[in-house]
């Protein structure tokens, strides 16, 4: 109880929401959640205002609890959203209203990535100097509002067959679709009221 308010009614911060999303990522790796369940629970976590609302997404997951007013950071002292994925789980990149997702420079691209953004200021994934762990990348977009920009290396190829678009646009001026090459980036998921921009390797 804090000033007459129970701990369940206390407001939660963005850091606490990110911590819980990190626990949901771990649950995928342990086989406790499907990707669809992870998506639904992440929606709840991102929209939670109080600790009671946030804890609902963890209630039936054994051994996973949200500590009382702790955990401002995750693996290695870095934000939970930036921790390396466990074997078999996707790298999940998340942004809320007004924030952005950015990856550039020399970074390791895992087998699968999930991008979740609602009314964010932009998603920018620059793969030109990245190291791909596999020839194929499964990239799932769960994006509402804003724009997603993929900057691809020479020789890459993109498939968009499993991407659902609603009031959205796809701009591929380089022509990465419908050809052969590596890495092969398979884009799926849902793009709502947003734009997907595919750009080439030119600096």
């Amino acid at each position: 109880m804090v000033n007459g308010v129970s701990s369940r009614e206390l407001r939660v911060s963005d850091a606490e929401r990110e911590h819980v999303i990190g626990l949901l990522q771990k649950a995928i790796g342990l086989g406790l959640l499907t990707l669809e369940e992870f998506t639904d629970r992440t929606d709840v976590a991102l929209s939670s205002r109080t600790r009671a609302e946030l804890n609902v997404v963890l209630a039936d997951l054994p051994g996973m609890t949200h500590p009382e007013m702790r955990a401002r950071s995750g693996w290695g002292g870095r934000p939970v959203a930036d921790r390396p994925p466990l074997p078999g789980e996707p790298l999940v990149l998340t942004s809320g209203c007004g924030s952005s997702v950015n990856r550039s420079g020399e970074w390791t691209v895992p087998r699968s990535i999930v991008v979740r953004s609602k009314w964010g200021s932009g998603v920018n994934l620059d793969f030109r100097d990245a190291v791909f762990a596999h020839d194929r990348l499964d990239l799932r977009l769960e994006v509402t509002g804003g724009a997603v920009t993929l900057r691809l290396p020479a020789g890459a190829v993109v498939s968009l067959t499993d991407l659902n678009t609603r009031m959205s646009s796809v701009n591929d001026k380089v022509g990465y679709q419908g050809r052969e090459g590596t890495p092969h980036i398979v884009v799926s998921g849902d793009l709502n009221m947003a734009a997907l921009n595919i750009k080439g390797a030119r600096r």
Side-chain angles (χ1 to χ4, degrees):
M1 188 79 67
V2 179
N3 295 329
V5 178
S6 73
S7 62
R8 289 173 52 82
E9 297 173 335
L10 290 175
R11 294 274 181 160
V12 292
S13 65
D14 287 340
E16 291 175 288
R17 295 185 188 95
E18 289 175 2
H19 175 72
V20 169
I21 291 171
L23 292 177
L24 294 176
Q25 290 176 307
K26 183 178 180 180
I28 290 180
L30 294 174
L32 297 173
L33 291 177
T34 65
L35 185 58
E36 182 178 359
E37 289 172 327
F38 170 83
T39 297
D40 293 340
R41 294 186 188 215
T42 300
D43 282 339
V44 174
L46 288 173
S47 63
S48 295
R49 295 171 300 172
T50 66
R51 188 165 295 157
E53 293 173 349
L54 189 59
N55 281 339
V56 167
V57 302
L58 301 176
D60 61 343
L61 299 177
M64 295 190 184
T65 59
H66 173 45
E68 297 288 322
M69 298 300 287
R70 292 202 303 265
R72 293 294 176 180
S73 62
W75 180 87
R78 297 184 297 178
V80 172
D82 287 341
R83 72 160 176 82
L86 296 172
E89 74 173 0
L91 170 63
V92 180
L93 305 175
T94 305
S95 71
C97 183
S99 60
S100 62
V101 172
N102 297 287
R103 285 293 184 279
S104 62
E106 296 183 8
W107 61 290
T108 300
V109 181
R111 184 185 298 274
S112 60
I113 297 176
V114 176
V115 175
R116 299 191 53 77
S117 177
K118 286 195 173 183
W119 307 112
S121 59
V123 175
N124 300 287
L125 301 181
D126 189 339
F127 296 105
R128 290 175 296 178
D129 297 320
V131 178
F132 284 80
H134 306 274
D135 288 340
R136 167 172 167 152
L137 165 64
D138 291 313
L139 176 61
R140 182 173 180 82
L141 302 179
E142 298 293 342
V143 177
T144 299
V148 178
T149 300
L150 307 180
R151 178 75 75 170
L152 306 184
V157 59
V158 174
S159 298
L160 303 176
T161 306
D162 295 324
L163 178 65
N164 301 313
T165 59
R166 178 176 175 272
M167 299 176 64
S168 301
S169 62
V170 176
N171 306 303
D172 178 13
K173 296 183 179 180
V174 182
Y176 279 101
Q177 301 177 67
R179 68 182 191 183
E180 296 183 357
T182 55
H184 183 189
I185 300 176
V186 180
V187 183
S188 63
D190 297 288
L191 197 66
N192 300 309
M193 294 175 283
L196 173 60
N197 302 309
I198 303 173
K199 298 185 178 182
R202 292 180 59 183
R203 301 287 175 177

